[in-house]
Amino acid sequence: METDVKPKQTFQRFHLLHRILHIVIIFNFTFLAITGFLLHFSGFGWARFIVSLMGGAGAAGWLHRFCAVFLYMGIVVHLFWLLYYKFVLKKNLTGPDSILPAKKDIKDLFQNLRYAFNKGTPPLFDRFTYLQKYDYWAELLGMQSMGLTGLILWYPEFFAGIFPGFFINIAGYFHFYEAVLAVLYIGVVHMSDTHLVPDIFPMEKSIFTGKIDKTRFMEDHPEEWKRQQMIKE
């Protein structure tokens, strides 16, 4: 007996450019973390062994800098897209669809805390939740300081001619400990909140496919869903 299984109705959530940039960042961030930590812990035998398999410290350093440049190119492309979005497409960078923080995010945060302690109903999120916005800005701004300190470490002689020598040491400390913080945040907070949620385990696929199905759209972003239905009407 044949049964007709209707395909899930899906909606566009992410543009192709954003999906490509996300993949670029995943790939380069992973190799930056691996090569960076291997070079930092090169005094240990296990790290020296892995670095030797990569062709030595010079090759590992070259790969680290190559991935850094490629990752930052992705950031530059994204920033140019924001300018294109604003000045060419004449879109608004604020409002309910914006990634910029808003008063609603503060209300949603406290509402979510109340819900966690069984003191109220869950917040009704719009296109981006407050945690998704925090993810975005923490990574975007964090990459600027990582890039600056990395550039100082890349050309220490040049920057030592501009700043006192101890600035190079400070840049090294900032670069390493921010890298630790970034890896912990991405590996624990972002992964558990975005990809390891029981309802979508083992992965949130919309950032790769660009699509979100109707049920998830209505449940995870009810305010955006409501606005889209009002537009259709």
Side-chain angles (χ1 to χ4, degrees), residues 32-51:
L32 278 168
I34 292 172
T35 54
F37 285 130
L38 285 174
L39 290 170
H40 183 85
F41 294 108
S42 58
F44 294 89
W46 60 268
R48 285 199 301 271
F49 174 73
I50 299 175
V51 168

Side-chain angles (χ1 to χ4, degrees), residues 123-134:
L124 301 177
F125 294 120
D126 214 302
R127 179 168 177 77
F128 299 108
T129 70
Y130 62 85
L131 191 53
Q132 289 171 337
K133 292 183 179 183
Y134 180 81

Side-chain angles (χ1 to χ4, degrees), residues 60-94:
W62 179 88
L63 179 60
H64 187 79
R65 292 187 289 271
F66 174 82
C67 290
V69 170
F70 219 78
L71 183 144
Y72 207 82
M73 285 173 61
I75 298 174
V76 171
V77 169
H78 176 64
L79 294 176
F80 272 112
W81 179 86
L82 289 176
L83 294 175
Y84 174 81
Y85 183 83
K86 171 66 176 176
F87 296 107
V88 178
L89 298 182
K90 305 296 183 181
K91 300 289 186 177
N92 197 347
L93 291 179
T94 60

Side-chain angles (χ1 to χ4, degrees), residues 12 45 49 123 125 171 180 183 200 205 208 218:
Q12 186 75 30
F49 174 73
F125 294 120
V180 172
V183 170
I200 58 175
K205 297 183 177 124
F208 301 103
M218 295 174 65

Side-chain angles (χ1 to χ4, degrees), residues 82-225:
L82 289 176
L83 294 175
Y84 174 81
Y85 183 83
K86 171 66 176 176
F87 296 107
V88 178
L89 298 182
K90 305 296 183 181
K91 300 289 186 177
N92 197 347
L93 291 179
T94 60
D97 286 331
S98 174
I99 197 70
L100 289 172
K103 290 181 180 179
K104 184 180 186 308
D105 299 311
I106 300 175
K107 295 178 181 178
D108 287 346
L109 170 61
F110 284 103
Q111 183 65 26
N112 215 19
L113 290 173
R114 287 176 53 81
Y115 172 67
F117 290 99
N118 200 27
K119 298 294 184 180
T121 58
L124 301 177
F125 294 120
D126 214 302
R127 179 168 177 77
F128 299 108
T129 70
Y130 62 85
L131 191 53
Q132 289 171 337
K133 292 183 179 183
Y134 180 81
D135 273 355
Y136 174 85
W137 287 104
E139 293 166 25
L140 183 65
L141 297 177
M143 286 177 185
Q144 311 311 312
S145 58
M146 286 292 289
L148 179 59
T149 54
L151 194 63
I152 293 174
L153 296 175
W154 193 348
Y155 298 102
E157 296 88 357
F158 173 78
F159 286 99
I162 302 175
F163 305 109
F166 63 84
F167 269 58
I168 312 301
N169 296 330
I170 293 175
Y173 281 112
F174 267 98
H175 197 75
F176 173 70
Y177 287 110
E178 190 169 0
V180 172
L181 182 62
V183 170
L184 287 175
Y185 184 85
I186 296 294
V188 178
V189 179
H190 178 70
M191 290 298 294
S192 61
D193 177 70
T194 304
H195 296 291
L196 303 181
V197 178
D199 291 346
I200 58 175
F201 182 84
M203 181 180 289
E204 160 61 86
K205 297 183 177 124
S206 64
I207 191 59
F208 301 103
T209 64
K211 304 287 186 180
I212 184 172
D213 67 71
K214 180 179 178 179
T215 302
R216 280 206 53 228
F217 195 173
M218 295 174 65
E219 292 177 355
D220 294 352
H221 309 279
E223 290 294 303
E224 182 185 12
W225 170 261

